[in-house]
Amino acid sequence: MTDVPFPALSKDTPDAEGVLATWFVSDGATVSAEQLLAEVQVDKVSAEVPAPVGGVVRLLVAEDETVKQGCPIARIE
């Protein structure tokens, strides 16, 4: 099992929060390593989040939900 964290986009404030803008996959989908999972935003910076490994993805955060950087947004089994 591998957790997919919200990336650290704001290095000046490591405890900053961001928003999970869009999921590119559905809960229970099978993904491959490096497949794009989501787009996240911190302030005016956005980034895409790739899968670190392949497997079945379990979404832990809903779209438009505010998340602290480093917290898991998905889990790949």
Side-chain angles (χ1 to χ4, degrees), residues 2-43:
T2 301
D3 283 345
V4 180
F6 192 101
L9 300 177
S10 178
K11 298 188 184 347
D12 295 336
T13 52
D15 60 342
E17 295 180 331
V19 174
L20 194 138
T22 306
W23 281 112
F24 299 133
V25 297
S26 301
D27 189 58
T30 300
V31 298
S32 56
E34 300 302 316
Q35 180 176 339
L36 292 181
L37 299 178
E39 180 180 40
V40 296
Q41 296 178 328
V42 173
D43 296 324

